[in-house]
Each structure stands twice: as C-alpha cells, then as structure tokens.
Amino acid sequence: MKPTVSVILPAYNCPAYIGEAVESMLAQTFEDFELIVIDDGSTDETPEVVRRYRDPRIQFVSQANVGLAATLNRGIAMARGELIARQDQDDRSLPERLAKQVAFMATHPDHALVGTWAEIWREQAPTGRIHTHPADDADLKYLLLLNNPFVHSSVMLRRAAIQQVGGYTTDPARQPPEDYELWSRIARQFAVANLPEVLHVYREVRGSMSRSGPSPFLDRLVTICAENIGWWAGVPADAAPVVNLAALEHHAAHRIEGNPDFRVMRIIFRHAAARAAGHDVRRFEREADRHVSALAARWRDVRFGRGWRRPLRRAAHRARQLIG
C-alpha cells in the first residue's frame, strides 16, 4: 500500500548529524510514511551511517553529486505518498511533527504547504532562539514578497502541487535559494501556512552559506524578491522601481538602479501587498507604506549618512515641548 507521507532526506558529507535526522523520523508518532534518503555523492562515511538503520520504511539510494535541488526532484519522483515532507541531514523533527502536519492538511484541502516553528541550535547546543514565522496565509504571502518565512526542513507539501508548479528549479542562476523560489511559485496558486508550534530543530552548522554581502546568493535573492513583487503587482520584474525595492530590502546596494523613486515604489508595493494578501487589504497597504518608508530612510542613511536625521529629531523635540 502507498504511504500517506514520503519524507525526503538528501545527504552529503554529514556523518556527525545524519543519524539524528534519521532517528527523529523513525521516532514519529505518525508511522504511515516512507523515508527516502538520497546520498548525493558523499566522500566520507555518511552512506555507512545510513545503512546501519534496518527499518523497512527507509529507501536508500546513492548517486553522483548533482546538488540539492536536483536531488530533491529525484526524491519527489520516487515518492509514493500524496504528501511530501522535507527533512535536512543536520536537523531533527520532534515526534509529533508529521502527525500534526498530516492533520492540518486533512482539514485544509486548499493548502499546499505547511511548515512549523523551529528551535535553533548552534552545532550541538540550543541557542534559546526560535524561528517563529507567522501562521496565516495572508501574512505569509505578504512576507514572501520580500523573503522566505518558512524553515525548509520543516515543511510538508502536496505532491500534486509541487508537480503542478514544476518542482524545484535546477537553474544555476536561480538556486540557491531553491526553497524560497519554489514557495514563491506555490503561493501564487495555493494557500500556505505554518503551524505556530515548535516541532522541529534547525541546526546552524559552521560553513553554511552566508546571506550577507555581495555574493551570487544575494543576487539571486534580490532577483526572486523582485519577481514576487512584480508578479503580484502586475509589473515587469526588471522594472527599476521593482528591482530597487528588492535591492534595498536585501542591502544589495550594487543592484540599485539610478536614483530610487520611492513614490512609484510605494504605489507598486501597496498593490503587490493588497493582491498577495487577498483580504484585510487596508492593513497590508498600511504595512507596505511603513515598509517603503523604512527603505527610504535606509537609502538616505547610505547616501547622506545618518546626519540627515538630526534636524528631524530636533524638530520633533521642539514640537513635543510646545505641545507639553
């Protein structure tokens, strides 16, 4: 019989943690799943660690190294379950994770993606920090205009929805961040959510890719962000106001085109926010206004230094004295 859930766990040179990842799946209270572990060309003992586990729900395959996105697409093609759950090699899922996500998907047939909150560890130690992204579809679609509000390793998706939008991109110019890119396309056609409960442990491991400073990752992040804003606003993604919005959001000064026109940027972002949210339009338009105002202040800080704020603060202080 086909399992309800197919868990996809790509592996590459991670012998220190992959055993914990596998065991966290085998300890799930929801047992109707298959665990597809794909070793993507490891050059260490990672495959041997996985082969120690004899649970019949585990499918283990090895391949030459092709990268994360292509490995995930292979796992999706192998999957027999209607629901796809992600699990990273250096993270852990808490025992109730699959059960609660399956229950959510059963009662929310319009949703194609559900993530969870995640406790953040640094190597082997908890940090006390938690990824607490919003839970509601409207809030998440607004946030997706700008960045990724999902912990990749915590998500569960409908296999049919992944296939409908074309799976993870393998275009080198668009990944990583392959997760943000895929969620963006899914959210254009389906509802999305997070369970507001810690059901996952996300591990920060030394050597992970930095998301700051000029880098190919940063450029791709700006490109996907601009595509999201442009798609929801009905404006070309390469239009200067759209690119400038995305570049300022991600501190990518090298991507700013000309002198940003914040009046046009405000109009575009308000429209994108209203369309993405779908309801409570006024709230999201106000949020968009506040966000563009913050980006404008950031731009002036970069261009003129923080000194331009002092006259405004002095004027505000005088006004308070007069009122008081």
Side-chain angles (χ1 to χ4, degrees), residues 193-220:
N194 274 314
L195 299 183
E197 181 178 354
V198 175
L199 295 169
H200 200 65
V201 172
Y202 171 83
R203 201 186 306 265
E204 293 178 337
V205 179
R206 249 183 239 126
S208 355
M209 182 178 296
S210 170
R211 296 193 176 199
S212 61
S215 69
F217 180 93
L218 181 62
D219 279 327
R220 292 190 287 266

Side-chain angles (χ1 to χ4, degrees), residues 38-112:
I38 304 178
D39 181 73
D40 188 34
S42 290
T43 56
D44 59 14
E45 64 271 27
T46 297
E48 284 66 41
V49 174
V50 178
R51 289 191 182 101
R52 293 174 194 159
Y53 298 94
R54 301 296 183 183
D55 193 292
R57 292 171 295 180
I58 297 176
Q59 293 188 57
F60 178 68
V61 295
S62 292
Q63 65 185 25
N65 183 265
V66 296
L68 178 59
T71 301
L72 291 171
N73 284 339
R74 182 179 182 186
I76 293 165
M78 293 172 59
R80 296 179 297 143
E82 292 304 315
L83 297 173
I84 304 290
R86 279 284 291 107
Q87 173 66 42
D88 276 347
Q89 63 182 6
D90 45 14
D91 295 343
R92 290 191 292 111
S93 291
L94 301 189
E96 293 287 330
R97 176 201 160 185
L98 292 185
K100 293 189 174 185
Q101 288 182 304
V102 169
F104 178 90
M105 291 298 228
T107 55
H108 296 79
D110 59 326
H111 282 63

Side-chain angles (χ1 to χ4, degrees), residues 104-280:
F104 178 90
M105 291 298 228
T107 55
H108 296 79
D110 59 326
H111 282 63
L113 184 161
V114 59
T116 80
W117 288 359
E119 183 181 356
I120 303 170
W121 284 38
R122 175 69 56 85
E123 302 286 349
Q124 296 282 17
T127 65
R129 294 179 289 129
I130 298 175
H131 282 303
T132 56
H133 297 304
D136 180 70
D137 177 63
D139 289 296
L140 289 168
K141 283 180 175 171
Y142 171 75
L143 290 176
L144 276 166
L145 293 171
L146 302 167
N147 214 325
N148 180 11
F150 296 96
V151 178
H152 190 181
S153 183
S154 81
V155 302
M156 178 176 285
L157 309 105
R158 296 193 192 277
R159 181 160 56 96
I162 302 174
Q163 292 169 336
Q164 183 170 321
V165 302
Y168 287 90
T169 180
T170 55
D171 180 355
R174 300 178 62 75
Q175 53 92 25
E178 60 283 312
D179 51 347
Y180 179 38
E181 201 275 345
L182 177 58
W183 313 157
S184 299
R185 286 184 282 121
I186 286 176
R188 294 170 192 171
Q189 300 186 42
F190 303 96
V192 296
N194 274 314
L195 299 183
E197 181 178 354
V198 175
L199 295 169
H200 200 65
V201 172
Y202 171 83
R203 201 186 306 265
E204 293 178 337
V205 179
R206 249 183 239 126
S208 355
M209 182 178 296
S210 170
R211 296 193 176 199
S212 61
S215 69
F217 180 93
L218 181 62
D219 279 327
R220 292 190 287 266
L221 190 59
V222 169
T223 296
I224 295 166
C225 176
E227 288 175 357
N228 288 341
I229 295 168
W231 191 91
W232 285 104
V235 175
D238 59 355
V242 177
V243 174
N244 288 342
L245 269 167
L248 286 164
E249 174 65 25
H250 294 288
H251 304 270
H254 65 290
R255 290 288 299 274
I256 294 173
E257 301 179 9
N259 191 27
D261 187 333
F262 289 97
R263 180 185 61 85
V264 175
M265 290 160 65
R266 188 183 306 273
I267 293 169
I268 290 173
F269 195 52
R270 277 172 61 96
H271 188 49
R275 281 197 63 211
H279 68 274
D280 202 0

